[in-house]
């Protein structure tokens, strides 16, 4: 073969090695870039030409090295598995966070817990039964009632605040989904533009895959890539990102008279999520942190009235951990309040007990914005449509008349018989009677103390199950992500090895060029002197 052919082969080696060095340097520069996937230069032998034969064998000489492609070292199946599992993790992590917050709000593991306050209240009832006319016993009873009301109001207010915090998270998640959709659509355009001209768009593909990873954590997605390189994304089965278009999500009021919002598709006005169906791993619909937040938050504030209808509770309240907690906690508070109020100040005002000063029909626990009786001395009924009419946590205070004068505590059955404890004993009996359903529609009846213990235990059990599911997903995600990192991540040691390999190959090709150059110089400058 000629020296010119040898020079051509050496130059192809120089170019291929230089391309490899550039790819290696790019990998090293992005070793800490989130979502970056290492790039690899694929080389192949150029064409071969026949220069002769040796018996049955052809003598072939290669024409050098060609760079075939600069590819990403990526596994689409690992990507799919990661996004599927991270979507489930997002769902269970949202639920676990909500349950952790609820347990913190209830404060049964630290501080002045409701259980301890309830115990103090019960002890004050016992002391009041022993000394119904005692100022100290009456004062202790009122102060324990104050503690109970303050704690009940505080817990419900914190539950309300957390529900509104989750509502803000819904808004933020929807904004992030729309932003990621716009980002994916923009990256689609750039990838198609570059690759249609023969350039590589690997860095843009990394950014798009990173956006898909984030999107999968928030909402259940499916996706596919078309022939041009566009990624088409569906979210909750609805076309989200298509070629040149993003169907955005908007917000509307969750239910009438509620400050909470629910996501809808702007294009159709339909709800993004169908939360009416059971959500479970078997149905493969336990996906996305946004769905987990929505389900934890619920659609409105719940109260004890929601426990009166079994179907309403099971279908509209129970699926939401916040609404379920609000309803069951409020039933507990309402039960304590009415166990005392309805005996000291009966609704029908007959056989009303007396205070030490002869007072009658004075309640201990008062609605903040509504008296117990109207101007005609008729009991004002509690109506679900009027929250101010409910003896509900957050709407309670201790009657100022009782706070200012303990003699107005109406616990004397017959006026003048100040030592009679029948009224207090009746309250204690009501307290200890199993009259509360463990759950709406259940056959198990519990007294006030048992109900609260069951209520707290139920939250703890649900929290434990949800946290276990979240931790299992966390382990699974870590395993898959570790496999992705081994395959797709940049190893500085490996890249340094590649850099040395390409550098030696470059030097070898450069040496060939030098030798061929010297040979040509010898031929041109020296052999041309013969015959002069």
């Amino acid at each position: 073969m000629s020296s010119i052919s040898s020079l051509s082969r050496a130059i192809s080696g120089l170019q291929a090695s230089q391309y490899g060095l550039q790819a290696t340097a790019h990998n090293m520069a992005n070793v800490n870039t989130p979502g970056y996937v290492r790039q690899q230069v694929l080389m192949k032998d150029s064409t071969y030409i026949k220069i002769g034969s040796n018996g049955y064998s052809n003598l072939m000489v290669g024409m050098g090295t060609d760079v075939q492609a600069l590819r990403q070292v990526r596994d689409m199946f690992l990507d799919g598995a990661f996004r599927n599992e991270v979507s489930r993790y997002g769902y269970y992590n949202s639920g676990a966070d909500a349950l952790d917050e609820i347990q913190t709000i209830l404060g049964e593991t630290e501080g002045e817990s409701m259980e301890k306050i309830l115990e103090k209240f019960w002890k004050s009832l016992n002391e009041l039964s022993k000394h119904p006319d005692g100022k100290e016993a009456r004062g202790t009873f009122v102060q324990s009632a104050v503690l109970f009301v303050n704690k009940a109001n505080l817990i419900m207010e914190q539950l309300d605040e957390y529900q509104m915090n989750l509502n803000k998270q819904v808004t933020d998640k929807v904004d992030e989904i729309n932003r990621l959709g716009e980002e994916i659509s923009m990256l689609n355009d750039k990838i198609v533009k570059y690759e249609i001209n023969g350039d590589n768009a690997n860095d843009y593909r990394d950014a798009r895959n990173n956006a898909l990873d984030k999107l999968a954590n928030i909402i259940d997605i499916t996706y596919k890539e078309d022939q041009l390189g566009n990624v088409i994304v569906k979210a909750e089965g609805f076309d989200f990102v298509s070629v040149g278009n993003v169907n955005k999500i908007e917000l509307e009021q969750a239910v009438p008279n509620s400050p909470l919002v629910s996501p809808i598709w702007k294009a159709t006005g339909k709800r993004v999520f169908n939360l009416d169906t059971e959500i479970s791993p078997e149905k493969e619909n336990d996906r996305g942190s946004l769905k987990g937040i929505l389900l934890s938050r619920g659609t409105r504030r719940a109260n004890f009235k929601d426990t009166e209808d079994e179907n309403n509770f099971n279908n509209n309240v129970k699926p939401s951990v916040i609404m379920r907690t609000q309803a069951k906690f409020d039933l507990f508070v309402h039960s304590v309040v009415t166990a005392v109020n309805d005996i000291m100040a009966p609704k029908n005002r007959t056989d009303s007990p007396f205070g030490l000063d002869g007072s009658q029909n004075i309640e201990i626990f008062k609605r903040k914005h509504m008296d117990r009786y109207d101007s005609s001395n008729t009991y004002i009924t509690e109506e679900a449509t009027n929250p101010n009419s409910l003896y509900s946590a957050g709407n309670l205070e201790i009657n100022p008349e009782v706070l200012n004068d303990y003699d107005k505590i109406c616990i004397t059955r017959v006026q003048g018989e100040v030592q009679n404890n029948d009224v207090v004993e009746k309250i204690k009996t009501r307290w200890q009677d199993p009259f509360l359903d463990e759950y709406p529609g259940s056959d198990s009846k519990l007294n006030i103390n048992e109900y609260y213990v069951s209520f707290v235990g139920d939250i703890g059990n649900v929290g434990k199950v949800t946290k276990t599911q979240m931790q299992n997903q966390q382990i699974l995600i870590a395993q898959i992500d570790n496999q992705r990192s081994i395959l797709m991540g940049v190893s500085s040691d490996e890249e340094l090895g590649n850099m040395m390999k390409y550098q030696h190959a470059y030097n070898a090709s450069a040496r060939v060029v030098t030798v061929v150059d010297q040979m040509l110089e010898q031929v041109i400058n020296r052999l041309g002197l013969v015959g002069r």
Side-chain angles (χ1 to χ4, degrees), residues 258-356:
S258 171
L260 308 181
V261 294
S262 288
I264 60 171
W265 293 111
K266 182 178 180 180
T268 64
K270 293 183 177 179
R271 291 286 173 95
V272 175
F273 301 98
N274 179 14
L275 300 179
D276 295 331
T277 60
E278 180 187 0
I279 297 176
S280 66
E282 292 74 22
K283 295 182 181 293
E284 296 186 352
N285 58 356
D286 53 340
R287 303 285 191 275
S289 60
L290 179 55
K291 181 185 286 186
I293 292 170
L294 284 167
L295 202 63
S296 296
R297 184 205 66 183
T299 57
R300 57 178 174 80
R301 177 186 173 176
N303 56 51
F304 70 91
K305 283 288 186 181
D306 288 297
T307 65
E308 295 176 354
D309 185 330
E310 181 182 354
N311 289 330
N312 171 64
F313 181 83
N314 290 333
N315 296 327
N316 301 321
V317 177
K318 187 177 179 181
S320 165
V321 64
I322 295 290
M323 290 180 67
R324 183 166 78 242
T325 302
Q326 288 171 330
K328 294 198 69 181
F329 178 74
D330 201 37
L331 177 60
F332 155 73
V333 172
H334 182 264
S335 300
V336 173
V337 168
T338 53
V340 176
N341 273 2
D342 290 352
I343 294 174
M344 289 188 178
K347 294 178 181 179
N348 57 14
R349 297 173 62 88
T350 60
D351 196 26
S352 298
F354 297 88
L356 292 178

Side-chain angles (χ1 to χ4, degrees), residues 111-395:
E112 187 78 50
S113 69
M114 177 59 82
E115 189 172 4
K116 291 179 181 177
I117 291 173
L118 204 62
E119 183 180 347
K120 289 181 180 178
F121 193 74
W122 173 251
K123 288 181 178 178
S124 71
L125 269 175
N126 284 319
E127 287 301 313
L128 191 61
S129 177
K130 296 175 185 175
H131 309 286
D133 61 335
K135 293 286 186 180
E136 184 178 348
R138 285 171 173 254
T140 302
F141 171 72
V142 171
Q143 292 309 312
S144 65
V146 169
L147 287 175
F148 174 80
V149 166
N150 289 344
K151 185 68 173 180
N153 287 342
L154 176 63
I155 288 174
M156 188 59 80
E157 287 167 7
Q158 289 179 330
L159 288 172
D160 292 347
E161 287 175 5
Y162 184 61
Q163 192 175 41
M164 293 306 299
N165 178 274
L166 290 179
N167 194 58
K168 177 65 169 58
Q169 290 183 39
V170 169
T171 303
D172 293 343
K173 293 290 184 184
V174 167
D175 289 343
E176 188 173 2
I177 289 172
N178 289 333
R179 181 188 63 76
L180 289 170
E182 291 283 1
E183 182 179 346
I184 291 169
S185 180
M186 177 195 67
L187 290 168
N188 278 343
D189 294 339
K190 289 185 176 181
I191 289 167
V192 171
K193 175 184 175 182
Y194 278 87
E195 293 186 346
I196 204 168
N197 294 323
D199 296 327
N200 83 76
N202 288 340
D203 287 349
Y204 289 131
R205 285 182 171 273
D206 285 342
R208 188 174 67 182
N209 278 303
N210 197 34
L212 287 170
D213 286 349
K214 293 177 181 177
L215 187 62
N217 181 265
I218 305 172
I219 193 169
D220 185 19
I221 63 170
T222 56
Y223 57 92
K224 64 179 180 180
E225 185 173 335
D226 66 14
Q227 294 179 342
L228 294 176
N230 293 292
V231 161
I232 312 301
V233 182
K234 286 190 174 185
E236 290 292 327
F238 188 85
D239 291 335
F240 178 47
V241 179
S242 53
V243 178
N245 184 51
V246 179
N247 291 317
K248 292 189 176 182
I249 299 176
E250 291 186 328
L251 296 167
E252 69 172 9
Q253 193 174 23
V255 293
N257 303 316
S258 171
L260 308 181
V261 294
S262 288
I264 60 171
W265 293 111
K266 182 178 180 180
T268 64
K270 293 183 177 179
R271 291 286 173 95
V272 175
F273 301 98
N274 179 14
L275 300 179
D276 295 331
T277 60
E278 180 187 0
I279 297 176
S280 66
E282 292 74 22
K283 295 182 181 293
E284 296 186 352
N285 58 356
D286 53 340
R287 303 285 191 275
S289 60
L290 179 55
K291 181 185 286 186
I293 292 170
L294 284 167
L295 202 63
S296 296
R297 184 205 66 183
T299 57
R300 57 178 174 80
R301 177 186 173 176
N303 56 51
F304 70 91
K305 283 288 186 181
D306 288 297
T307 65
E308 295 176 354
D309 185 330
E310 181 182 354
N311 289 330
N312 171 64
F313 181 83
N314 290 333
N315 296 327
N316 301 321
V317 177
K318 187 177 179 181
S320 165
V321 64
I322 295 290
M323 290 180 67
R324 183 166 78 242
T325 302
Q326 288 171 330
K328 294 198 69 181
F329 178 74
D330 201 37
L331 177 60
F332 155 73
V333 172
H334 182 264
S335 300
V336 173
V337 168
T338 53
V340 176
N341 273 2
D342 290 352
I343 294 174
M344 289 188 178
K347 294 178 181 179
N348 57 14
R349 297 173 62 88
T350 60
D351 196 26
S352 298
F354 297 88
L356 292 178
D357 60 356
S359 302
Q360 279 186 295
N361 300 307
I362 296 179
E363 59 185 348
I364 294 292
F365 302 101
K366 186 179 181 299
R367 294 173 284 202
K368 286 183 177 180
H369 308 290
M370 188 174 291
D371 292 330
R372 189 168 180 82
Y373 307 101
D374 62 18
S375 57
S376 61
N377 289 325
T378 302
Y379 172 75
I380 301 176
T381 307
E382 295 178 279
E383 300 289 346
T385 56
N386 183 6
N388 288 336
S389 71
L390 303 179
Y391 285 93
S392 179
N395 189 42

Side-chain angles (χ1 to χ4, degrees), residues 412-482:
T412 302
R413 174 62 60 197
V414 179
Q415 188 173 9
E417 294 184 4
V418 295
Q419 293 294 329
N420 188 294
N421 66 353
D422 289 352
V423 174
V424 180
E425 286 299 317
K426 189 175 180 181
I427 294 172
K428 290 171 59 180
T429 300
R430 177 62 175 167
W431 187 291
Q432 294 175 305
D433 281 344
F435 68 98
L436 289 167
D437 291 334
E438 186 171 9
Y439 261 110
S442 69
D443 295 328
S444 178
K445 300 289 185 180
L446 306 173
N447 63 32
I448 288 174
N449 286 333
E450 292 169 342
Y451 180 86
Y452 187 75
V453 170
S454 173
F455 161 70
V456 173
D458 178 59
I459 292 174
N461 290 334
V462 174
K464 184 177 181 180
V465 171
T466 305
K467 185 168 288 188
T468 298
Q469 290 171 316
M470 182 268 290
Q471 290 171 343
N472 290 340
Q473 285 301 122
Q474 203 170 23
I475 293 170
L476 189 56
I477 289 169
Q479 292 173 344
I480 297 173
D481 197 37
N482 186 51

